Amino acid sequence: MLTPLILSVAISIDSFSIGVSYGIKKLRIPIFPFVLIISESTASLLLSRAIGDTINMFVSPKISAIISCMMLLGLGLWMFFHSLVTLNSRHKKESNFDKTSTNKNLKLIEIIMAILKEPSQADMDVSGEINTKEALILGIALALDSFGAGLGASIGEFNMMVIIILTTVFNVTFLSLGLTIGHRLSRLWSYNKIELTPGILLIMLGILRLL
């Protein structure tokens, strides 16, 4: 039960980081966009489970464990170093993302990458509120990490239903909690450290698969 719990926290803790970021910048997420964001993450886990189960039909448990280990380690390392680069860039300069030209000049993948770098970029119309379209794009950005971690877990034959349920609950809790804390605090001391946590947890899980 401990491993699914750790994995679920690793997948969903980004919601807390995003919630704090939005709260600090006074961005609101109405109910429907909120539900849409959570639903996309859950859907990506369901899809990763289906793909993982299919892969396991054609490979041995030993090979599945190796693939799972490599995926979790790889994703964990990528998330960790991506967070380091992102935090470093925030200290140097503001993002060059042009919110007024999003729809005309940027492709969807560029928008998603900008949001991964700075979550508040999801407020593309600078309205102070995340609308349905913006929530859809933000949900895709969050779902990418969920899908990768979920696929690695599914191939590794973790209990995916437990992971999906826990991740959904944690996503709702962490996003709500992050928004509340962000609104009340202009600066959260542990915010930068939170962003590094998902990568560290996935690296730990990948190493545990080797043992």
Side-chain angles (χ1 to χ4, degrees), residues 124-146:
M124 294 177 288
D125 58 5
V126 202
S127 64
E129 182 174 286
I130 301 300
N131 61 35
T132 301
K133 180 180 178 180
E134 293 164 347
L136 182 64
I137 298 175
L138 174 60
I140 292 174
L142 284 175
L144 292 176
D145 287 340
S146 297

Side-chain angles (χ1 to χ4, degrees), residues 2 9 26 36 39 46-48 72 89 91 95 106 108 115 117 133 135 139 154 163 175 179 187 203:
L2 182 59
V9 171
K26 306 302 181 183
L36 182 59
S39 298
L46 290 169
L47 178 60
S48 68
L72 292 174
S89 68
H91 288 304
S95 173
L106 289 180
L108 178 60
I115 292 173
K117 184 176 181 180
K133 180 180 178 180
S154 180
I163 291 172
L175 185 54
L179 286 167
R187 182 174 297 178
I203 291 171

Side-chain angles (χ1 to χ4, degrees), residues 10-12 14-15 18 35-49 51 71 75 78-79 112 115-116 134-152 160 167 171 202:
I11 294 172
S12 56
D14 274 346
S15 296
I18 288 173
V35 173
L36 182 59
I37 293 169
I38 302 301
S39 298
E40 287 181 84
S41 180
T42 302
S44 72
L45 286 174
L46 290 169
L47 178 60
S48 68
R49 180 195 182 194
I51 295 175
M71 289 189 67
L75 182 60
W78 181 86
M79 291 174 68
I112 292 173
I115 292 173
L116 285 172
E134 293 164 347
L136 182 64
I137 298 175
L138 174 60
I140 292 174
L142 284 175
L144 292 176
D145 287 340
S146 297
F147 178 80
L151 183 59
M160 282 301 295
T167 300
N171 272 329
L202 289 178

Side-chain angles (χ1 to χ4, degrees), residues 79-123:
M79 291 174 68
F80 181 79
F81 286 109
H82 177 267
S83 296
L84 285 178
V85 171
T86 299
L87 292 172
N88 184 56
S89 68
R90 284 178 188 165
H91 288 304
K92 290 183 178 179
K93 59 182 179 180
E94 291 293 324
S95 173
N96 292 322
F97 185 73
D98 184 359
K99 297 177 182 178
T100 62
S101 63
T102 298
N103 294 330
K104 295 181 179 179
N105 300 327
L106 289 180
K107 297 178 181 179
L108 178 60
I109 186 64
E110 293 174 319
I111 298 173
I112 292 173
M113 292 306 296
I115 292 173
L116 285 172
K117 184 176 181 180
E118 177 51 67
S120 63
Q121 303 288 6
D123 183 26

Side-chain angles (χ1 to χ4, degrees), residues 181-194:
I181 291 176
H183 278 302
R184 293 182 179 180
L185 301 176
S186 61
R187 182 174 297 178
L188 186 64
W189 177 81
S190 59
Y191 177 59
N192 288 350
K193 296 179 178 61
I194 291 170

